[in-house]
Amino acid sequence: PNVWTITKTATDAGVIVVAAAGNGDQDLDSSDYSTYSDYGDSGAVIVGAGSSDVLHDKMYFSTYGARVNIQGWGENVFTTGYGYYSAIDNDVNQEYTSSFNGTSSASPIVASALAAIQDYVLSNGNDPLSPQNIRQLVMDTGIAQGIGGNIGVFPELENAILSLDSDLD
């Protein structure tokens, strides 16, 4: 309840909160999660892990359910921080891995998409989108999920921007 309350307080104050759904292949719509779902919508963007191909299928391990809003790649993500792929000049501060995955890789992809959209809104002299409005915008304009339990759409920035252009005129 404390995490939900903090998240709800933040989103009510206009802070966009991106939260990983988790990697346990759990159905958030099951009775096991009824206590949590009874709290209601915290306003956070809940992120599932999808495939990195054009199908955007749910990854076998991703938690899913009606409350999961948007997906990011849950596989094949390169990142910095630890070097199983390469290191530049053997420098530990320049190590890269190609095995970053799960909702841990999906969430920063979604957060980056939301940041780009919000930047576009602000750069054009508009008030920031609320957490609920930006979440809904991406849900309405994203690329449909393929197979598997619901992990939401994959962000499609061009569609989101085009939608904003028509709404912000």
Side-chain angles (χ1 to χ4, degrees):
N2 293 336
V3 171
W4 186 93
T5 300
I6 291 167
T7 302
K8 180 72 171 144
T9 301
T11 60
D12 285 350
V15 176
I16 298 168
V17 177
V18 176
N23 296 328
D25 190 35
Q26 298 295 301
D27 179 358
L28 296 179
D29 298 328
S30 75
S31 60
D32 292 339
Y33 294 96
S34 62
T35 300
Y36 178 76
S37 60
D38 287 347
Y39 294 137
D41 184 355
S42 67
V45 177
I46 308 296
V47 179
S51 61
S52 60
D53 58 23
V54 298
L55 299 176
H56 304 292
D57 293 337
K58 174 193 166 291
M59 297 297 297
Y60 69 92
F61 52 77
S62 183
T63 291
Y64 59 96
R67 185 58 187 88
V68 182
N69 310 115
I70 302 170
Q71 64 167 289
W73 286 0
E75 63 180 356
N76 299 321
V77 176
F78 272 68
T79 192
T80 59
Y82 50 98
Y84 300 114
Y85 181 77
S86 69
I88 297 173
D89 297 327
N90 292 319
D91 181 353
V92 296
N93 295 312
Q94 297 184 71
E95 293 181 336
Y96 298 87
T97 184
S98 61
S99 61
F100 190 46
N101 59 31
T103 56
S104 295
S105 65
S107 296
I109 290 171
V110 170
S112 298
L114 299 179
I117 292 167
Q118 194 74 290
D119 179 66
Y120 181 81
V121 169
L122 296 172
S123 295
N124 284 284
N126 298 289
D127 291 333
L129 296 174
S130 71
Q132 294 79 5
N133 286 344
I134 199 167
R135 178 178 74 185
Q136 193 62 53
L137 172 68
V138 174
M139 290 170 62
D140 291 345
T141 60
I143 299 168
Q145 174 191 334
I147 62 171
N150 183 67
I151 56 166
V153 300
F154 186 81
E156 213 303 341
L157 291 178
E158 184 176 8
N159 287 347
I161 298 298
L162 289 171
S163 178
L164 282 171
D165 282 344
S166 65
D167 289 343
L168 297 176
D169 286 339

